[in-house]
Amino acid sequence: MHRPGHYGVALTLYAPLGYALVAGGRQDLALVGGAAVLALTNLPDVDGKTERLRHRGPTHSLVFALAVGVFAAAVAVPFGFETGPVATLQLAGLGFLVGVLAVVAHLTADVLNPMGVRPFWPFSDRRFTADVVPASDRTAN
């Protein structure tokens, strides 16, 4: 899947969380979360910019999704300090969810094409694919 396809899948998977935030009166967090999921969803493709990592290798795994979630939570924590510990934990939780969701959305989009992904790396090298469309399919993207 190419960049536009990843954005579409990310926004589709983020929509229920964004809706819940808006329904809870937190339009600000819904907007920031949507922007963050868009900013992070193509992060797994950083492997194509280095010779050290194989494409669709470690960065295309649930372990990487958890790492991005922890990073996003850590980035969110300072924004809650002024409003107290509960708000800090809530922001950290939202950051974690958005980080994990962004990478899971990327994996979901990549599983649609024949190359697939190995989401359980390093525990398993089993590749998963739905083989629905080629990654370069213009309509899917």
Side-chain angles (χ1 to χ4, degrees), residues 124-141:
S124 171
D125 278 337
R126 183 168 178 210
R127 187 171 298 276
F128 292 84
T129 178
D131 196 4
V132 176
V133 294
S136 60
D137 186 278
R138 293 187 68 151
T139 304
N141 280 294

Side-chain angles (χ1 to χ4, degrees), residues 69-96:
V70 169
F71 172 77
V75 168
V77 163
F79 294 100
F81 283 152
E82 290 182 20
T83 53
V86 172
T88 301
L89 286 174
Q90 288 173 337
L91 282 175
L94 179 61
F96 181 79

Side-chain angles (χ1 to χ4, degrees), residues 54 60-61 117-128:
R54 186 176 69 174
H60 285 70
S61 69
V117 293
R118 295 177 306 137
F120 300 112
W121 175 93
F123 309 107
S124 171
D125 278 337
R126 183 168 178 210
R127 187 171 298 276
F128 292 84

Side-chain angles (χ1 to χ4, degrees), residues 4 11 21 33-34 51-52 56 62 76 88 94 117-118 122 125 134:
L11 288 174
L21 289 168
E51 293 181 15
R52 292 181 174 219
R56 295 199 182 176
L62 295 174
T88 301
L94 179 61
V117 293
R118 295 177 306 137
D125 278 337

